[in-house]
Amino acid sequence: MTPRSTAVAGILLAVSLVALTALCLFQHIPMADTLVYRAEGAAVANGTDLYGFTVTEWQLPATYPPFAAILFVPTTWLPLDVLKVVFAVGNAALLALLVHLSCRFARLPVRPALVLAGTAVGLWLEPVFQTILFGQINLVLVCLVLWDLSRTDDAIGKGFGLGIAAGVKLTPAIFIVYLLLTGRVRAGLTALASFIGTVLLGALVLPTASIDFWTRRIFETGRVGKAWIVDNQSLQGLFARVLHTEEPGAVWAVAAVLTGVAGLWTARRAAVGAGRETWGVLATAATALLVSPISWSHHWVWCVPLLAVLVAEGRGRIAVAVGAVFLGRSLWLVPHQGELDLRLAWWQQPAASPYAMVACALLVCVAWRLRTRRAAAAAGLPSPRTAPKAAPLSRTPGAGKD
């Protein structure tokens, strides 16, 4: 790419940042989750009940493990307005890092113009946009996981970053299972050990809060929020809205178990059977987001590496379609005030659960393509063009080693 293209991409990013800043100032965005993190850090610093408070007009409680609260202590050192600016600027920088990591992950050329343009567009992807508006930490976690998984199997300490991410927010722990299922035992055990280390550190510093969290709060999914609202793009949210009930119960539980097994099986086949590490990682991420009781729309920042992989494989039309889903914000266009989420007509359901449907389609397509590829190989025919086409990551000696 020429210096001119880099300059154009830089201008595009600057315009995008200015527009986003103006929107945030005009709307007086409260960055509610940043306020929760600050309150958690204050609870640790002041020795008060970590899980006994609520903040903001929405009465939001602490929901992360004690280890995360310890990491949030520095948020109390800054004035609130300064802290909000730090979170907003930090998330924008983390998006640029995620675009960079996603290009490496997908084997795209990591060029300044591509990273700048990707960041400019990425700011308006609904999960990223919501992460910035809420002052969330999704981007730092996905960067940590993607960086760690992109390293070679012989990289020193591979799995450590993944374990830390799981210690902050439990969902990334599914990648520990993925590492073990795909034969990366050392990396898997390293991740498990670092995760256990975060639990022990939390217990050492906050023994009472640790007992409270691991024996009680971890099971209170309702504490996080209402599972049936359109904000929740997991299978539980989808089934609650389809069945018009706040508690989908056994139907969701069975679907989650089957999806978890099928998703991890597909991820293993992609990574081990077909040597397609990119699709193994993405299938695992999709599985985690689907089976988690609550996956708020801003948790779906994995759309960034997904789009990078689709572009790298020359699947431009699919990338445009998937990008349109994450840019379109259809979940906010259906009636969702009060309990209207539970009264949606059948034809409104796809628009209310777009991310869950994309994730389900991803798992089905990857499994089908792998099956087609295997059948062609068994018959001695040339392999058809498969969805998981990119070169393997961690199984390529020297590739991406840090």
Side-chain angles (χ1 to χ4, degrees):
M1 294 185 179
T2 64
R4 181 179 179 181
S5 62
T6 301
V8 171
I11 294 172
L12 178 63
L13 176 58
V15 171
S16 189
L17 287 170
V18 169
L20 180 61
T21 302
L23 179 62
C24 291
L25 293 175
F26 178 75
Q27 294 290 335
H28 301 289
I29 302 302
M31 299 183 70
D33 287 327
T34 298
L35 301 182
V36 177
Y37 302 151
R38 182 183 176 87
E40 290 185 42
V44 175
N46 299 329
T48 56
D49 186 358
L50 178 58
Y51 299 106
F53 69 80
T54 58
V55 293
T56 78
E57 61 185 281
W58 300 281
Q59 300 297 301
L60 301 176
T63 59
Y64 292 174
F67 173 72
I70 296 171
L71 298 182
F72 294 146
V73 170
T75 63
T76 64
W77 302 344
L78 298 174
L80 183 56
D81 289 340
V82 175
L83 179 64
K84 289 182 178 180
V85 172
V86 169
F87 262 75
V89 173
N91 270 325
L94 284 167
L95 173 60
L97 175 60
L98 178 58
V99 172
H100 175 88
L101 291 172
S102 297
C103 289
R104 288 180 53 197
F105 176 69
R107 294 296 187 263
L108 283 171
V110 185
R111 293 171 179 163
L114 183 59
V115 174
L116 292 172
T119 304
V121 176
L123 287 170
W124 301 99
L125 293 168
E126 193 271 347
V128 175
F129 182 80
Q130 293 289 86
T131 290
I132 295 174
L133 261 58
F134 283 116
Q136 257 282 346
I137 59 171
N138 304 302
L139 289 169
V140 68
L141 295 180
V142 72
C143 284
L144 193 56
V145 171
L146 196 61
W147 166 77
D148 206 355
L149 291 177
S150 297
R151 298 195 296 157
T152 56
D153 290 339
D154 59 352
I156 296 175
K158 176 170 181 173
F160 179 79
L162 171 57
I164 297 298
V168 174
K169 199 168 187 176
L170 299 178
T171 308
I174 194 173
F175 287 101
I176 300 176
V177 180
Y178 169 72
L179 287 175
L180 295 175
L181 285 177
T182 54
R184 273 73 68 88
V185 177
R186 187 181 70 173
L189 292 179
T190 299
L192 181 60
S194 63
F195 169 65
I196 293 174
T198 67
V199 176
L200 294 177
L201 178 60
L204 179 64
V205 178
L206 301 168
T208 302
S210 293
I211 294 173
D212 188 18
F213 180 82
W214 295 107
T215 63
R216 178 186 173 193
R217 305 299 183 179
I218 190 174
F219 305 107
E220 296 178 349
T221 55
R223 179 181 177 84
V224 181
K226 298 174 181 177
W228 45 268
I229 58 179
V230 294
D231 310 50
N232 183 18
Q233 290 291 300
S234 72
L235 284 177
Q236 181 173 213
L238 184 153
F239 277 106
R241 292 186 290 272
V242 168
L243 299 175
H244 308 292
T245 176
E246 295 182 11
E247 298 290 342
V251 175
W252 162 70
V254 171
V257 170
L258 293 177
T259 301
V261 173
L264 287 173
W265 174 77
T266 299
R268 184 184 185 280
R269 284 192 62 196
V272 178
R276 311 295 182 176
E277 178 80 353
T278 50
W279 288 101
V281 171
L282 290 174
T284 304
T287 302
L289 290 164
L290 285 170
V291 303
S292 176
I294 291 182
S295 293
W296 300 131
S297 68
H298 54 75
H299 293 165
W300 291 76
V301 289
W302 279 95
C303 63
V304 176
L306 170 60
L307 289 169
V309 170
L310 290 173
V311 170
E313 295 187 356
R315 301 184 182 278
R317 293 181 180 178
I318 299 177
V320 169
V322 172
V325 170
F326 286 99
L327 286 168
R329 293 161 169 76
S330 66
L331 66 159
W332 303 117
L333 300 179
V334 299
H336 60 275
Q337 299 298 323
E339 295 186 356
L340 292 179
D341 314 61
L342 293 175
R343 303 173 188 171
L344 298 173
W346 65 268
W347 55 271
Q348 295 172 314
Q349 296 295 341
S353 304
Y355 304 163
M357 299 191 74
V358 166
C360 289
L362 184 150
L363 293 178
V364 170
C365 288
V366 172
W368 176 258
R369 294 291 185 176
L370 289 171
R371 181 177 181 275
T372 304
R373 183 175 182 272
R374 184 177 181 181
L381 300 174
S383 297
R385 187 184 183 194
T386 60
K389 183 182 177 183
L393 286 173
S394 59
R395 295 186 176 276
T396 305
K401 185 175 181 179
D402 291 314

